[in-house]
Amino acid sequence: MEKKAQESRYARSLIEASLDPLVTISTEGKITDMNEAWMNITGKTRDELIGSNFGIYFTEPKKAREVYQEVFTEGFVKNYPLTVIDGALTEVLFNGSVYKGANGDVLGAVVVARVITEQKRIEKELTEAKVFAELATLIAEEAQSKAELAAQTAVDAVKSKQQFLSNMSHEIRTPMNAIIGFTKVVLKTELSAKQREYLTAIKMSGDALIVLINDILDLAKVDAGKMTFEQMPFKMALSISAMLHIFETKIQEKNLVLVKEYDNRIPEVLVGDPVRLHQIVLNLMSNAVKFTTKGKITVKAILLNENDAQATIEFSISDSGIGIPADKIGHIFEKFQQASSETARIYGGTGLGLAIVKQLVEQQGGHVQVKSESEKGSTFSFILSFQKTNAEAEIEETITALDTEIKNIKVLVVEDMALNQLLMKTLLDDFGFERDIAENGKIAIEKLARKSYDIILMDLQMPEMNGFEATEYIRNTMHSSIPIIALTADVTTVDLAKCKAVGMNDYIAKPVDERILFSKIVGLIKKSIHSNRIAPAKNDPHRKSKYIDLNYLNQRTKSDPALMLEMIGIYLEQTPPLINAMKQSFQKQDWDSLHAAVHKMIPSFSIMGMSSDFESMAKKIQEYARTQQQIGDIADLVLQIEAVCTQACLELKEEFKKIKNTKS
Amino acid sequence: MKNAQKIKLFLVDDDALFLKLLKIEFLQHEDFDIETFATGEYCVANLSHSPDVIILDYHLDGIDKNAMNGIETLDKIKIFNRDIPVIMLSSQDRIEVAINCMHHKAFDYVVKSETAFVRLQKIIPRIFKYKKIKQELSWYMERM
């Protein structure tokens, strides 16, 4: 008896220990016993609860009845959801089973309720969080697409500005070509003094206009980030004295004194961009001459320091002219700015010169300085570093050093416009060269097959067959390495890149300057004789600017030389087989393989900083190969991509060596 | 991520140049555990290394015609373990390609360009966020 009472107390404590509400019900659905947790949740006392109906404590008594009915029919119930009526309407899950007497009769059921308020709350929060996350992603995506759109608009705007300038320069240069050219021709005939004076005025105005167009184009190029600098060996002393030579007449006319101070310690041959240096000094000199009426102009080049790799030189141009007021000195390097509007009226000019000087110097890593005192004069100075080299300077580019020994040169002029044909005829006759005219590329090729020429002057835009197509045909089908000079009115970088890509040796901008024309013809012929003797295979010795630009790679690798070498190494390994695959699949007209090969090349263009024009070309090939349309155009594109990638490989090999050397 | 366990990335591309650049960028940005594969076959053969994320080129049969292409590789990965998130990469921005990838249960699709890396970089945290939410949800579901 004592034992039985002990067991009962033990069972009781087990029941009370449970935090989950626990209740026993009779077969009639009346509550017979419960634990403390059940009293807490219902808020009733034990006496009130015992004998009461189980169902009345829930929001849905009918469902509650189903619970105990199920317990008694099935013998158990599992996870049955109900809501208890109390202060907060607590949600619970029911689990229960029947208990039986010694003889196996069902006496009642034990039901346990599990409170799931907390789980419900977490579930709800989770769902909310998910909705928020999805919403946030949506907003972010929207913002991103907006930003992309804005960026695209900006890029388009820059592009259309470039295009506009390029078109304008073309439209202005073409008529100017005829005006200046024929003025020069007429100037060579017998004229009265008055006529000569008027014609000279026409020519000077024309020249000034061309300079202006070039200036605007230069600035546009800088703005578009397309200004490129060459790295070629040149003779510094010669380059500067040749340039100063241009101003001699003007300085004499104005009774000024020109003082030259050239530091003899400056190495004879340096590597840099002589044309841009020329442009910088030219702009500063023409300002000095323009704004000085008496006294002297001093041009100095001083070696600041020198080490094994490079020499740093300070250039300065001082004048005793009108000077710049202190309050204006901050603005003179801005575009279209002169010290005062008065200045423009008296001295002329557009105010672009100094803006260009500043851009040219700064893009080469230098800095321009100016010191000036009103009415006393100004000093402009800039410091640039040049790499030293053991290489010989390239064949003289100086316009003044004309070699008149070479005669009997046979020139083929490919030009469709009668006016320009006549002008070229006159100029070439003047040089004493033999010349033939072809109206378009097709006729040029026919003439070339019948007769041998020393050099071709090739217009780019022509009917029937244009200059690019003709050059490609000459290089790739006729396998001729005859020097070809492009005659172009459009000097934006895009076209020049295309000229090089198809294998032209050089270009001349229209209106043609007869001295430049002469020196380029002679220079190229000399070179082709020279290279034919030594290395006849080399067909493009005159490279102007680079295809690759390692800026992107530098940024991505944080200029880590080891990573750079790895990347360049991979490109050099992977690209030549791809070029091959592209060529062969095109020859076999295996469009799938062509598509695949070009497809693989596409990402490498932007990685190596090559112009996106080439990437678009590759994409075009891919598209044509896929749709098998415009198959005729593919040939052209495949050749260009091949030329570009081959050249890029050469350039990258150089860079590879350079990085390797600096690394070790 | 918090307990300094590196995320294991598989990069799969037969364009060695792009592959290398991607690897450099990932390593510079965060401490990933990266394995690179030039073919889909290698990638599938090494799935036992249990990658957390796979970045897979769409055009793996560009040069070798008999190689497994990106979609085939994707299918094989999904058979191995359908929970490995795979981001597809392609230099084609054709919509059909993207849709095809999604149909084969790719997590996302990125066009190869200068911005590809930035996009990948954004997608990866999203994968883990998504995974975490899913895990939490199933944890609670189990408890209910």
Side-chain angles (χ1 to χ4, degrees):
Chain A
M1 198 62 199
E2 176 58 27
K3 204 180 167 201
K4 208 161 185 196
Q6 207 178 338
E7 262 175 21
S8 164
R9 274 202 304 281
Y10 173 68
R12 186 85 226 156
S13 71
L14 270 183
I15 291 167
E16 290 300 342
S18 167
L19 286 178
D20 288 334
L22 208 147
V23 67
T24 57
I25 45 179
S26 66
T27 45
E28 292 83 37
K30 300 266 195 271
I31 293 177
T32 54
D33 197 1
M34 79 286 312
N35 69 352
E36 186 119 4
W38 183 258
M39 290 187 269
N40 288 343
I41 199 170
T42 52
K44 300 271 184 333
T45 62
R46 171 175 287 270
D47 293 342
E48 285 172 314
L49 285 165
I50 287 195
S52 67
N53 258 329
F54 172 70
I56 59 168
Y57 302 105
F58 300 94
T59 49
E60 292 162 286
K62 222 172 126 192
K63 265 188 152 181
R65 213 169 301 131
E66 276 166 27
V67 172
Y68 74 75
Q69 276 163 3
E70 198 177 322
V71 175
F72 290 119
T73 50
E74 303 281 330
F76 66 90
V77 63
K78 232 176 150 184
N79 283 345
Y80 202 104
L82 279 176
T83 310
V84 181
I85 304 175
D86 64 343
L89 292 179
T90 312
E91 287 179 81
V92 294
L93 289 179
F94 268 105
N95 290 287
S97 66
V98 291
Y99 66 93
K100 295 172 182 170
N103 52 3
D105 291 348
V106 173
L107 299 177
V110 181
V111 191
V112 184
R114 170 162 296 174
V115 179
I116 54 165
T117 322
E118 188 65 6
Q119 276 96 323
K120 283 274 178 186
R121 186 181 63 77
I122 291 167
E123 187 189 5
K124 204 173 137 208
E125 275 176 14
L126 195 64
T127 322
E128 271 172 12
K130 256 181 80 186
V131 171
F132 271 125
E134 271 160 21
L135 215 67
T137 319
L138 220 68
I139 292 168
E141 271 166 10
E142 218 168 274
Q144 191 185 3
S145 72
K146 258 187 207 161
E148 274 166 9
L149 204 73
Q152 191 54 44
T153 316
V155 170
D156 288 348
V158 171
K159 263 194 193 150
S160 61
K161 181 176 142 194
Q162 271 282 102
Q163 194 55 48
F164 172 75
L165 283 168
S166 156
N167 289 348
M168 279 306 285
S169 85
H170 181 92
E171 295 303 321
I172 298 172
R173 274 160 180 277
T174 310
M176 284 308 291
N177 192 19
I179 295 173
I180 296 175
F182 282 107
T183 311
K184 281 183 193 163
V185 173
V186 180
L187 272 170
K188 281 182 188 154
T189 58
E190 269 188 44
L191 297 167
S192 71
K194 278 267 178 231
Q195 283 172 328
R196 184 165 298 278
E197 194 189 326
Y198 298 151
L199 281 171
T200 311
I202 294 175
K203 187 178 164 290
M204 276 171 62
S205 310
D207 287 342
L209 212 56
I210 290 296
V211 169
L212 174 64
I213 294 168
N214 286 341
D215 280 358
I216 292 174
L217 271 176
D218 267 353
L219 273 182
K221 268 191 229 167
V222 171
D223 285 347
K226 288 209 170 157
M227 180 64 89
T228 49
F229 294 96
E230 289 172 47
Q231 290 292 326
M232 58 149 88
F234 71 104
K235 289 182 177 169
M236 177 69 77
L238 215 64
S239 176
I240 291 186
S241 67
M243 208 266 321
L244 292 179
H245 192 71
I246 300 172
F247 290 95
E248 264 166 16
T249 358
K250 220 166 202 172
I251 289 172
Q252 273 170 8
E253 272 172 22
K254 295 184 89 171
N255 261 329
L256 302 172
V257 182
L258 178 64
V259 182
K260 285 181 262 186
E261 282 181 36
Y262 188 83
D263 192 335
N264 286 322
R265 292 174 303 154
I266 295 172
E268 192 189 358
V269 180
L270 288 168
V271 178
D273 190 330
V275 179
R276 298 297 179 201
L277 178 65
H278 212 260
Q279 212 177 346
I280 298 166
V281 179
L282 190 93
N283 269 310
L284 294 176
M285 269 304 285
S286 58
N287 274 352
V289 174
K290 192 192 286 176
F291 296 119
T292 308
T293 45
K294 59 174 191 285
K296 62 178 182 181
I297 292 167
T298 312
V299 180
K300 283 189 214 172
I302 293 160
L303 184 69
L304 287 185
N305 58 57
E306 184 185 2
N307 56 28
D308 292 343
Q310 59 177 27
T312 306
I313 302 170
E314 181 180 36
F315 301 87
S316 71
I317 287 127
S318 315
D319 61 56
S320 55
I322 58 168
I324 306 154
D327 57 328
K328 297 283 171 29
I329 212 155
H331 300 294
I332 54 167
F333 289 110
E334 288 166 22
K335 282 173 218 171
F336 303 105
Q337 283 292 331
Q338 287 187 323
S340 71
S341 49
E342 195 93 326
T343 321
R345 222 176 312 133
I346 303 170
Y347 298 96
T350 52
L352 281 177
L354 285 176
I356 291 171
V357 166
K358 183 169 186 265
Q359 298 279 13
L360 289 177
V361 172
E362 286 179 356
Q363 299 232 338
Q364 295 184 83
H367 182 68
V368 197
Q369 273 192 316
V370 55
K371 278 186 223 133
S372 182
E373 213 176 310
S374 224
E375 306 304 325
K376 292 267 175 66
S378 316
T379 300
F380 286 85
S381 60
F382 58 96
I383 298 168
L384 284 178
S385 294
F386 297 89
Q387 273 178 312
K388 298 212 299 194
T389 178
N390 295 322
E392 289 277 309
E394 289 206 11
I395 294 170
E396 283 317 315
E397 289 269 334
T398 41
I399 299 162
T400 42
L402 289 190
D403 189 336
T404 42
E405 273 174 33
I406 298 182
K407 289 272 174 185
N408 303 324
I409 294 176
K410 291 185 282 281
V411 185
L412 178 61
V413 179
V414 192
E415 166 73 67
D416 62 320
M417 280 168 64
L419 217 61
N420 287 335
Q421 284 175 6
L422 180 61
L423 183 61
M424 292 309 289
K425 260 190 212 166
T426 327
L427 286 175
L428 293 172
D429 284 350
D430 241 29
F431 297 154
F433 295 165
E434 264 182 58
R435 73 308 166 277
D436 256 335
I437 307 280
E439 283 81 36
N440 60 47
K442 222 170 183 176
I443 298 172
I445 288 167
E446 283 164 16
K447 282 191 187 274
L448 208 56
R450 269 186 274 118
K451 196 174 158 188
S452 81
Y453 294 92
D454 295 307
I455 194 162
I456 300 173
L457 301 178
M458 181 84 77
D459 187 29
L460 297 179
Q461 277 115 20
M462 288 177 295
E464 289 274 340
M465 185 188 242
N466 70 32
F468 298 116
E469 293 162 349
T471 305
E472 264 185 47
Y473 188 86
I474 293 166
R475 290 281 183 258
N476 297 318
T477 311
M478 301 177 87
H479 298 292
S480 164
S481 58
I482 181 170
I484 300 175
I485 300 179
L487 297 172
T488 171
D490 184 358
V491 289
T492 53
T493 41
V494 180
D495 255 10
L496 296 185
K498 210 171 160 193
C499 288
K500 272 179 285 177
V502 296
M504 292 183 179
N505 301 70
D506 207 343
Y507 72 95
I508 294 177
K510 293 178 188 176
V512 175
D513 182 306
E514 57 175 303
R515 285 176 304 170
I516 294 176
L517 178 66
F518 186 86
S519 68
K520 285 208 169 169
I521 291 176
V522 172
L524 271 176
I525 287 176
K526 265 177 148 183
K527 214 182 235 178
S528 93
I529 295 167
H530 193 64
S531 65
N532 273 343
R533 220 180 292 141
I534 305 164
K538 206 172 175 188
N539 60 359
D540 184 14
H542 210 83
R543 193 154 51 80
K544 282 288 181 190
S545 69
K546 284 180 150 190
Y547 285 123
I548 56 154
D549 178 359
L550 295 182
N551 258 338
Y552 177 74
L553 209 53
N554 258 318
Q555 263 174 25
R556 290 283 86 95
T557 61
K558 308 222 163 65
S559 300
D560 181 334
L563 293 179
M564 295 277 288
L565 286 179
E566 245 181 289
M567 290 296 293
I568 296 174
I570 291 172
Y571 182 87
L572 289 175
E573 206 176 293
Q574 157 172 316
T575 308
L578 282 176
I579 300 176
N580 244 332
M582 174 181 76
K583 264 167 55 186
Q584 284 180 0
S585 55
F586 173 65
Q587 273 160 14
K588 286 188 219 140
Q589 310 223 330
D590 177 353
W591 304 122
D592 286 346
S593 303
L594 177 65
H595 181 271
V598 177
H599 183 88
K600 276 293 152 212
M601 294 169 89
I602 287 172
S604 68
F605 287 105
S606 66
I607 294 174
M608 290 305 164
M610 291 153 80
S611 163
S612 57
D613 298 321
F614 301 132
E615 193 178 322
S616 334
M617 276 186 211
K619 282 189 175 153
K620 254 189 218 157
I621 299 181
Q622 189 182 292
E623 191 57 30
Y624 292 167
R626 197 171 67 84
T627 54
Q628 280 156 45
Q629 279 167 5
Q630 291 174 270
I631 288 164
D633 293 350
I634 299 185
D636 187 35
L637 293 167
V638 167
L639 280 171
Q640 284 192 38
I641 292 292
E642 183 194 350
V644 167
C645 290
T646 312
Q647 188 58 39
C649 281
L650 288 178
E651 288 173 13
L652 283 168
K653 270 181 199 153
E654 298 246 317
E655 293 291 337
F656 191 84
K657 272 188 221 148
K658 249 194 243 166
I659 298 169
K660 210 170 180 183
N661 287 341
T662 46
K663 195 188 160 202
S664 55
Chain B
M1 279 165 283
K2 266 178 219 154
N3 50 15
Q5 206 177 17
K6 288 187 198 172
I7 296 172
K8 193 170 192 75
L9 271 185
F10 271 21
L11 307 180
V12 192
D13 197 335
D14 63 338
D15 178 354
L17 191 67
F18 193 83
L19 191 66
K20 185 79 201 169
L21 186 70
L22 213 54
K23 186 176 172 185
I24 291 173
E25 303 217 51
F26 271 116
L27 286 179
Q28 271 174 356
H29 207 79
E30 223 176 299
D31 204 8
F32 288 103
D33 184 1
I34 297 181
E35 287 188 44
T36 58
F37 303 100
T39 69
E41 285 86 348
Y42 286 136
C43 167
V44 172
N46 285 290
L47 283 173
S48 56
H49 298 188
S50 56
D52 294 305
V53 179
I54 297 177
I55 296 173
L56 181 65
D57 184 38
Y58 179 76
H59 244 270
L60 286 169
D61 54 347
I63 298 158
D64 182 356
K65 286 277 157 274
N66 302 317
M68 196 152 73
N69 70 28
I71 290 292
E72 285 163 9
T73 311
L74 175 61
D75 288 344
K76 287 247 166 68
I77 294 170
K78 289 289 165 187
I79 290 169
F80 180 86
N81 178 357
R82 54 183 219 110
D83 290 333
I84 301 176
V86 180
I87 307 170
M88 295 300 284
L89 264 181
S90 170
S91 37
Q92 288 180 330
D93 46 4
R94 290 213 322 268
I95 194 79
E96 310 93 82
V97 175
I99 290 174
N100 192 19
C101 288
M102 300 322 263
H103 276 317
H104 285 262
K105 301 196 184 63
F107 186 86
D108 210 338
Y109 172 85
V110 173
V111 177
K112 277 186 192 177
S113 67
E114 289 97 322
T115 57
F117 172 69
V118 184
R119 310 198 85 186
L120 287 171
Q121 213 190 328
K122 291 223 156 119
I123 293 169
I124 289 174
R126 214 158 74 209
I127 291 178
F128 287 100
K129 203 172 149 196
Y130 178 71
K131 261 194 166 174
K132 209 175 149 206
I133 288 179
K134 243 178 125 176
Q135 265 170 12
E136 275 180 322
L137 194 64
S138 66
W139 189 84
Y140 286 123
M141 289 303 273
E142 263 171 39
R143 245 135 277 255
M144 270 192 252

